[in-house]
mmCIF file of all heavy atoms in Angstrom:
data_model
loop_
_atom_site.group_PDB
_atom_site.id
_atom_site.type_symbol
_atom_site.label_atom_id
_atom_site.label_comp_id
_atom_site.label_asym_id
_atom_site.label_seq_id
_atom_site.Cartn_x
_atom_site.Cartn_y
_atom_site.Cartn_z
ATOM 1 N N GLN A 1 97.108 151.235 53.658
ATOM 2 C CA GLN A 1 97.349 149.841 53.328
ATOM 3 C C GLN A 1 98.844 149.450 53.454
ATOM 4 O O GLN A 1 99.145 148.355 53.854
ATOM 5 C CB GLN A 1 96.929 149.566 51.835
ATOM 6 C CG GLN A 1 95.460 149.649 51.651
ATOM 7 C CD GLN A 1 95.083 149.279 50.234
ATOM 8 O OE1 GLN A 1 95.722 149.651 49.254
ATOM 9 N NE2 GLN A 1 94.009 148.512 50.087
ATOM 10 N N ASN A 2 99.706 150.339 53.060
ATOM 11 C CA ASN A 2 101.099 150.026 52.966
ATOM 12 C C ASN A 2 101.915 150.719 54.105
ATOM 13 O O ASN A 2 101.473 151.710 54.664
ATOM 14 C CB ASN A 2 101.685 150.468 51.609
ATOM 15 C CG ASN A 2 101.013 149.727 50.490
ATOM 16 O OD1 ASN A 2 100.803 148.554 50.565
ATOM 17 N ND2 ASN A 2 100.624 150.477 49.444
ATOM 18 N N PRO A 3 103.106 150.185 54.361
ATOM 19 C CA PRO A 3 103.972 150.811 55.382
ATOM 20 C C PRO A 3 104.300 152.253 54.958
ATOM 21 O O PRO A 3 104.444 152.573 53.771
ATOM 22 C CB PRO A 3 105.217 149.958 55.404
ATOM 23 C CG PRO A 3 104.819 148.645 54.827
ATOM 24 C CD PRO A 3 103.699 148.951 53.871
ATOM 25 N N ALA A 4 104.425 153.134 55.941
ATOM 26 C CA ALA A 4 104.727 154.557 55.703
ATOM 27 C C ALA A 4 106.241 154.722 55.657
ATOM 28 O O ALA A 4 106.867 154.836 56.710
ATOM 29 C CB ALA A 4 104.127 155.410 56.780
ATOM 30 N N THR A 5 106.800 154.719 54.467
ATOM 31 C CA THR A 5 108.258 154.887 54.342
ATOM 32 C C THR A 5 108.687 156.290 54.030
ATOM 33 O O THR A 5 109.795 156.691 54.276
ATOM 34 C CB THR A 5 108.773 153.904 53.257
ATOM 35 O OG1 THR A 5 108.139 154.231 52.020
ATOM 36 C CG2 THR A 5 108.553 152.456 53.629
ATOM 37 N N GLN A 6 107.762 157.062 53.438
ATOM 38 C CA GLN A 6 108.022 158.440 53.086
ATOM 39 C C GLN A 6 106.679 159.193 52.977
ATOM 40 O O GLN A 6 105.641 158.572 52.867
ATOM 41 C CB GLN A 6 108.791 158.557 51.770
ATOM 42 C CG GLN A 6 108.007 158.044 50.563
ATOM 43 C CD GLN A 6 108.829 158.071 49.312
ATOM 44 O OE1 GLN A 6 109.999 158.398 49.320
ATOM 45 N NE2 GLN A 6 108.207 157.811 48.177
ATOM 46 N N PRO A 7 106.728 160.519 53.004
ATOM 47 C CA PRO A 7 105.486 161.293 52.872
ATOM 48 C C PRO A 7 104.833 161.003 51.507
ATOM 49 O O PRO A 7 105.495 160.635 50.565
ATOM 50 C CB PRO A 7 105.932 162.714 52.938
ATOM 51 C CG PRO A 7 107.243 162.722 53.657
ATOM 52 C CD PRO A 7 107.877 161.396 53.267
ATOM 53 N N TYR A 8 103.495 161.174 51.477
ATOM 54 C CA TYR A 8 102.812 160.993 50.185
ATOM 55 C C TYR A 8 103.294 162.062 49.230
ATOM 56 O O TYR A 8 103.491 163.210 49.588
ATOM 57 C CB TYR A 8 101.281 161.168 50.387
ATOM 58 C CG TYR A 8 100.614 159.998 51.037
ATOM 59 C CD1 TYR A 8 99.741 160.166 52.105
ATOM 60 C CD2 TYR A 8 100.808 158.699 50.601
ATOM 61 C CE1 TYR A 8 99.115 159.142 52.708
ATOM 62 C CE2 TYR A 8 100.193 157.616 51.215
ATOM 63 C CZ TYR A 8 99.334 157.834 52.235
ATOM 64 O OH TYR A 8 98.688 156.778 52.879
ATOM 65 N N GLN A 9 103.471 161.666 47.977
ATOM 66 C CA GLN A 9 103.903 162.582 46.918
ATOM 67 C C GLN A 9 102.746 162.977 46.020
ATOM 68 O O GLN A 9 102.738 164.030 45.404
ATOM 69 C CB GLN A 9 105.037 161.943 46.077
ATOM 70 C CG GLN A 9 106.255 161.546 46.886
ATOM 71 C CD GLN A 9 106.892 162.781 47.536
ATOM 72 O OE1 GLN A 9 107.081 163.813 46.917
ATOM 73 N NE2 GLN A 9 107.206 162.645 48.812
ATOM 74 N N THR A 10 101.769 162.093 45.898
ATOM 75 C CA THR A 10 100.640 162.311 44.994
ATOM 76 C C THR A 10 99.351 161.997 45.773
ATOM 77 O O THR A 10 99.302 161.036 46.500
ATOM 78 C CB THR A 10 100.723 161.386 43.779
ATOM 79 O OG1 THR A 10 102.026 161.595 43.156
ATOM 80 C CG2 THR A 10 99.642 161.647 42.791
ATOM 81 N N VAL A 11 98.315 162.771 45.521
ATOM 82 C CA VAL A 11 97.021 162.575 46.116
ATOM 83 C C VAL A 11 96.025 162.378 45.022
ATOM 84 O O VAL A 11 95.932 163.148 44.085
ATOM 85 C CB VAL A 11 96.617 163.754 47.022
ATOM 86 C CG1 VAL A 11 95.226 163.534 47.576
ATOM 87 C CG2 VAL A 11 97.622 163.930 48.115
ATOM 88 N N LEU A 12 95.236 161.299 45.090
ATOM 89 C CA LEU A 12 94.175 161.058 44.145
ATOM 90 C C LEU A 12 92.851 161.439 44.804
ATOM 91 O O LEU A 12 92.551 160.892 45.876
ATOM 92 C CB LEU A 12 94.170 159.612 43.722
ATOM 93 C CG LEU A 12 93.020 159.129 42.830
ATOM 94 C CD1 LEU A 12 93.080 159.826 41.495
ATOM 95 C CD2 LEU A 12 93.016 157.618 42.657
ATOM 96 N N VAL A 13 92.122 162.303 44.202
ATOM 97 C CA VAL A 13 90.808 162.688 44.724
ATOM 98 C C VAL A 13 89.764 162.209 43.750
ATOM 99 O O VAL A 13 89.604 162.779 42.652
ATOM 100 C CB VAL A 13 90.691 164.220 44.932
ATOM 101 C CG1 VAL A 13 89.333 164.617 45.497
ATOM 102 C CG2 VAL A 13 91.805 164.759 45.819
ATOM 103 N N PRO A 14 89.047 161.122 44.060
ATOM 104 C CA PRO A 14 88.015 160.642 43.153
ATOM 105 C C PRO A 14 86.866 161.621 43.064
ATOM 106 O O PRO A 14 86.494 162.262 44.066
ATOM 107 C CB PRO A 14 87.539 159.334 43.759
ATOM 108 C CG PRO A 14 88.334 159.163 45.020
ATOM 109 C CD PRO A 14 89.140 160.324 45.261
ATOM 110 N N VAL A 15 86.341 161.824 41.866
ATOM 111 C CA VAL A 15 85.263 162.819 41.658
ATOM 112 C C VAL A 15 84.115 162.129 40.927
ATOM 113 O O VAL A 15 84.301 161.540 39.884
ATOM 114 C CB VAL A 15 85.803 163.991 40.840
ATOM 115 C CG1 VAL A 15 84.693 164.994 40.550
ATOM 116 C CG2 VAL A 15 86.958 164.671 41.574
ATOM 117 N N ASP A 16 82.922 162.247 41.510
ATOM 118 C CA ASP A 16 81.716 161.767 40.848
ATOM 119 C C ASP A 16 80.705 162.913 40.702
ATOM 120 O O ASP A 16 79.542 162.668 40.429
ATOM 121 C CB ASP A 16 81.128 160.561 41.557
ATOM 122 C CG ASP A 16 80.660 160.911 42.972
ATOM 123 O OD1 ASP A 16 80.807 162.094 43.395
ATOM 124 O OD2 ASP A 16 80.210 159.993 43.662
ATOM 125 N N PHE A 17 81.146 164.131 40.896
ATOM 126 C CA PHE A 17 80.368 165.343 40.732
ATOM 127 C C PHE A 17 79.248 165.514 41.751
ATOM 128 O O PHE A 17 78.287 166.215 41.535
ATOM 129 C CB PHE A 17 79.824 165.468 39.298
ATOM 130 C CG PHE A 17 80.950 165.418 38.265
ATOM 131 C CD1 PHE A 17 81.171 164.264 37.519
ATOM 132 C CD2 PHE A 17 81.803 166.496 38.095
ATOM 133 C CE1 PHE A 17 82.194 164.213 36.650
ATOM 134 C CE2 PHE A 17 82.828 166.422 37.206
ATOM 135 C CZ PHE A 17 83.052 165.274 36.463
ATOM 136 N N THR A 18 79.356 164.825 42.883
ATOM 137 C CA THR A 18 78.391 165.028 43.988
ATOM 138 C C THR A 18 78.994 166.082 44.930
ATOM 139 O O THR A 18 80.116 166.483 44.818
ATOM 140 C CB THR A 18 78.201 163.726 44.764
ATOM 141 O OG1 THR A 18 79.435 163.309 45.339
ATOM 142 C CG2 THR A 18 77.638 162.628 43.862
ATOM 143 N N GLU A 19 78.145 166.496 45.906
ATOM 144 C CA GLU A 19 78.623 167.474 46.893
ATOM 145 C C GLU A 19 79.780 166.884 47.715
ATOM 146 O O GLU A 19 80.688 167.594 48.082
ATOM 147 C CB GLU A 19 77.461 167.864 47.804
ATOM 148 C CG GLU A 19 76.475 168.825 47.162
ATOM 149 C CD GLU A 19 75.404 169.273 48.127
ATOM 150 O OE1 GLU A 19 75.744 169.507 49.318
ATOM 151 O OE2 GLU A 19 74.238 169.405 47.692
ATOM 152 N N ASP A 20 79.713 165.576 48.034
ATOM 153 C CA ASP A 20 80.792 164.961 48.814
ATOM 154 C C ASP A 20 82.100 165.029 48.078
ATOM 155 O O ASP A 20 83.162 165.332 48.662
ATOM 156 C CB ASP A 20 80.449 163.525 49.163
ATOM 157 C CG ASP A 20 79.354 163.434 50.210
ATOM 158 O OD1 ASP A 20 79.182 164.388 50.977
ATOM 159 O OD2 ASP A 20 78.733 162.377 50.271
ATOM 160 N N SER A 21 82.111 164.762 46.777
ATOM 161 C CA SER A 21 83.389 164.807 46.041
ATOM 162 C C SER A 21 83.867 166.265 45.897
ATOM 163 O O SER A 21 85.048 166.500 45.896
ATOM 164 C CB SER A 21 83.270 164.127 44.670
ATOM 165 O OG SER A 21 82.427 164.845 43.835
ATOM 166 N N GLN A 22 82.932 167.214 45.817
ATOM 167 C CA GLN A 22 83.331 168.601 45.769
ATOM 168 C C GLN A 22 83.994 169.015 47.089
ATOM 169 O O GLN A 22 85.041 169.686 47.087
ATOM 170 C CB GLN A 22 82.158 169.506 45.503
ATOM 171 C CG GLN A 22 82.517 170.967 45.387
ATOM 172 C CD GLN A 22 81.291 171.854 45.118
ATOM 173 O OE1 GLN A 22 80.169 171.381 44.989
ATOM 174 N NE2 GLN A 22 81.545 173.136 45.040
ATOM 175 N N ARG A 23 83.474 168.562 48.220
ATOM 176 C CA ARG A 23 84.068 168.867 49.517
ATOM 177 C C ARG A 23 85.438 168.188 49.613
ATOM 178 O O ARG A 23 86.384 168.815 50.129
ATOM 179 C CB ARG A 23 83.146 168.373 50.659
ATOM 180 C CG ARG A 23 82.007 169.321 50.933
ATOM 181 C CD ARG A 23 81.349 169.013 52.285
ATOM 182 N NE ARG A 23 80.805 167.679 52.363
ATOM 183 C CZ ARG A 23 79.559 167.339 52.057
ATOM 184 N NH1 ARG A 23 78.740 168.228 51.618
ATOM 185 N NH2 ARG A 23 79.165 166.078 52.171
ATOM 186 N N ALA A 24 85.563 166.982 49.128
ATOM 187 C CA ALA A 24 86.878 166.290 49.183
ATOM 188 C C ALA A 24 87.910 167.062 48.358
ATOM 189 O O ALA A 24 89.057 167.257 48.786
ATOM 190 C CB ALA A 24 86.746 164.859 48.666
ATOM 191 N N LEU A 25 87.502 167.516 47.201
ATOM 192 C CA LEU A 25 88.414 168.275 46.341
ATOM 193 C C LEU A 25 88.781 169.619 46.983
ATOM 194 O O LEU A 25 89.978 170.036 46.951
ATOM 195 C CB LEU A 25 87.731 168.558 44.987
ATOM 196 C CG LEU A 25 88.623 168.998 43.842
ATOM 197 C CD1 LEU A 25 89.743 168.016 43.576
ATOM 198 C CD2 LEU A 25 87.777 169.180 42.603
ATOM 199 N N MET A 26 87.835 170.292 47.608
ATOM 200 C CA MET A 26 88.148 171.553 48.269
ATOM 201 C C MET A 26 89.082 171.323 49.492
ATOM 202 O O MET A 26 90.010 172.102 49.691
ATOM 203 C CB MET A 26 86.868 172.237 48.742
ATOM 204 C CG MET A 26 86.024 172.809 47.587
ATOM 205 S SD MET A 26 84.419 173.418 48.093
ATOM 206 C CE MET A 26 84.872 174.669 49.277
ATOM 207 N N LEU A 27 88.829 170.271 50.227
ATOM 208 C CA LEU A 27 89.716 169.960 51.379
ATOM 209 C C LEU A 27 91.108 169.670 50.892
ATOM 210 O O LEU A 27 92.097 170.162 51.439
ATOM 211 C CB LEU A 27 89.172 168.772 52.156
ATOM 212 C CG LEU A 27 90.044 168.312 53.329
ATOM 213 C CD1 LEU A 27 90.113 169.432 54.389
ATOM 214 C CD2 LEU A 27 89.478 167.054 53.940
ATOM 215 N N HIS A 28 91.247 168.898 49.843
ATOM 216 C CA HIS A 28 92.551 168.614 49.264
ATOM 217 C C HIS A 28 93.245 169.909 48.840
ATOM 218 O O HIS A 28 94.406 170.122 49.135
ATOM 219 C CB HIS A 28 92.439 167.677 48.060
ATOM 220 C CG HIS A 28 93.667 167.689 47.203
ATOM 221 N ND1 HIS A 28 94.863 167.236 47.627
ATOM 222 C CD2 HIS A 28 93.847 168.221 45.976
ATOM 223 C CE1 HIS A 28 95.772 167.457 46.689
ATOM 224 N NE2 HIS A 28 95.178 168.044 45.687
ATOM 225 N N ARG A 29 92.521 170.758 48.166
ATOM 226 C CA ARG A 29 93.117 172.013 47.658
ATOM 227 C C ARG A 29 93.604 172.861 48.827
ATOM 228 O O ARG A 29 94.726 173.371 48.813
ATOM 229 C CB ARG A 29 92.110 172.783 46.838
ATOM 230 C CG ARG A 29 92.783 173.982 46.164
ATOM 231 C CD ARG A 29 91.840 174.669 45.238
ATOM 232 N NE ARG A 29 91.023 175.564 46.040
ATOM 233 C CZ ARG A 29 89.985 176.193 45.568
ATOM 234 N NH1 ARG A 29 89.589 176.005 44.343
ATOM 235 N NH2 ARG A 29 89.294 176.987 46.357
ATOM 236 N N MET A 30 92.795 172.962 49.883
ATOM 237 C CA MET A 30 93.240 173.738 51.019
ATOM 238 C C MET A 30 94.413 173.102 51.736
ATOM 239 O O MET A 30 95.360 173.789 52.118
ATOM 240 C CB MET A 30 92.061 173.903 52.042
ATOM 241 C CG MET A 30 91.016 174.833 51.525
ATOM 242 S SD MET A 30 89.660 175.175 52.646
ATOM 243 C CE MET A 30 89.632 173.834 53.744
ATOM 244 N N GLN A 31 94.395 171.800 51.866
ATOM 245 C CA GLN A 31 95.469 171.104 52.572
ATOM 246 C C GLN A 31 96.772 171.157 51.776
ATOM 247 O O GLN A 31 97.800 171.415 52.340
ATOM 248 C CB GLN A 31 95.048 169.657 52.824
ATOM 249 C CG GLN A 31 95.491 169.081 54.092
ATOM 250 C CD GLN A 31 95.261 169.934 55.322
ATOM 251 O OE1 GLN A 31 94.167 170.266 55.707
ATOM 252 N NE2 GLN A 31 96.352 170.335 55.964
ATOM 253 N N CYS A 32 96.721 170.923 50.479
ATOM 254 C CA CYS A 32 97.963 170.930 49.689
ATOM 255 C C CYS A 32 98.515 172.308 49.571
ATOM 256 O O CYS A 32 99.716 172.502 49.596
ATOM 257 C CB CYS A 32 97.798 170.241 48.354
ATOM 258 S SG CYS A 32 97.086 171.241 47.045
ATOM 259 N N CYS A 33 97.680 173.304 49.482
ATOM 260 C CA CYS A 33 98.172 174.655 49.426
ATOM 261 C C CYS A 33 98.789 175.106 50.735
ATOM 262 O O CYS A 33 99.764 175.828 50.766
ATOM 263 C CB CYS A 33 97.071 175.628 49.004
ATOM 264 S SG CYS A 33 96.499 175.378 47.325
#
């Protein structure tokens, strides 16, 4: 949505306890690590 002025500092991973949100959380964990 906004101009990219700096790298992201915080990532919000919405969770509704479905398999899709679990995959999103796992992907985030692997990517941030």
Side-chain angles (χ1 to χ4, degrees):
Q1 291 184 319
N2 299 316
T5 57
Q6 63 183 6
Y8 287 131
Q9 300 299 314
T10 305
V11 176
L12 174 66
V13 181
V15 177
D16 63 2
F17 304 104
T18 62
E19 285 184 37
D20 288 337
S21 67
Q22 183 180 359
R23 281 195 300 270
L25 194 57
M26 289 173 58
L27 177 63
H28 160 69
R29 188 174 82 190
M30 288 183 338
Q31 215 49 63
C32 81
C33 293

